[in-house]
Amino acid sequence: MNRRFPDALKKMHEIEIDYYHHDIDFEPYEEFNSKDDTAHWIKAWTGNESLDGREFLIFGQDGSGGYVAFWLTKETDDLLEQPIVFFGSEGELGVVSENFGDYVWLFAHGIGPYDAVAFPSLESKTIDKLSKFAKELFPSHEDTPKQIIQKARARYPGFEKMIQELCR
């Protein structure tokens, strides 16, 4: 899989949003974490020295240091079709969305990665700039946050268990 930061992700992260004002705990990156940084992180997060984290491309974090990443699990060269997952600093873990289009719609509804995992029933609130972006790039992905999160969990029900089994 190519490690080039997708244009759509760059554009999303360039949108000037006061995440704090919108109660979204998110810090966007301008590039993926390096392979070495990702390997170091997954070993520390799981306590498993045999892991290298190559199936994760980290592209953002929350204020406590929890990471948001593409999980490279589908057989596709289109990175935006890969699921997005969250690894919290306090052990929170889960699939955020089935793909990037759904992820963008979560943000358009004011739901960040941590919230999607820890508070999946959180009330949504539209963020105009992100809603406009979502409608332009991913109109066919428009759903409620609850539908997006439920769809992702149904598609990848074993993610949390798989990761927990890697922990030492």
Side-chain angles (χ1 to χ4, degrees):
M1 175 65 64
N2 156 354
R3 293 184 56 86
R4 191 178 67 75
F5 214 70
D7 289 340
L9 182 57
K10 280 182 197 175
K11 288 177 184 174
M12 180 183 174
H13 287 185
E14 289 170 355
I15 297 172
E16 295 214 14
I17 299 293
D18 181 352
Y19 290 105
Y20 179 78
H21 172 76
H22 290 288
D23 294 325
I24 298 176
D25 187 2
F26 183 69
E27 298 173 19
Y29 290 178
E30 294 180 8
E31 59 187 29
F32 293 121
N33 272 12
S34 71
K35 289 179 182 180
D36 288 344
D37 287 346
T38 301
H40 177 76
W41 156 77
I42 196 71
K43 289 174 185 180
W45 202 94
T46 62
N48 187 335
E49 289 296 316
S50 70
L51 302 178
D52 63 11
R54 69 176 150 220
E55 61 276 338
F56 301 105
L57 293 176
I58 299 168
F59 63 88
Q61 71 178 57
D62 70 2
S64 69
Y67 284 139
V68 182
F70 284 103
W71 175 31
L72 308 179
T73 190
K74 290 182 181 177
E75 291 191 31
T76 178
D77 289 332
D78 186 352
L79 184 57
L80 300 181
E81 288 302 315
Q82 299 289 354
I84 294 175
V85 295
F86 179 77
F87 289 82
S89 64
E90 302 299 319
E92 305 89 350
L93 177 65
V95 178
V96 174
S97 64
E98 193 173 354
N99 54 53
F100 185 69
D102 288 350
Y103 177 79
V104 171
W105 276 104
L106 282 175
F107 270 83
H109 289 295
I111 307 293
Y114 170 80
D115 293 328
V117 170
F119 306 106
S121 298
L122 195 63
E123 191 117 352
S124 69
K125 54 203 168 291
T126 301
I127 299 176
D128 293 333
K129 289 180 182 179
L130 290 171
S131 183
K132 181 180 178 205
F133 177 75
K135 286 177 183 174
E136 287 175 8
L137 267 67
F138 303 101
S140 66
H141 290 264
E142 186 173 5
D143 258 330
T144 68
K146 185 176 182 176
Q147 291 167 322
I148 291 169
I149 294 165
Q150 286 177 339
K151 184 172 64 168
R153 288 181 175 181
R155 175 80 164 94
Y156 300 102
F159 174 73
E160 292 90 351
K161 183 178 180 188
M162 178 197 73
I163 297 298
Q164 289 166 347
E165 288 174 352
L166 294 173
C167 293
R168 303 288 180 247

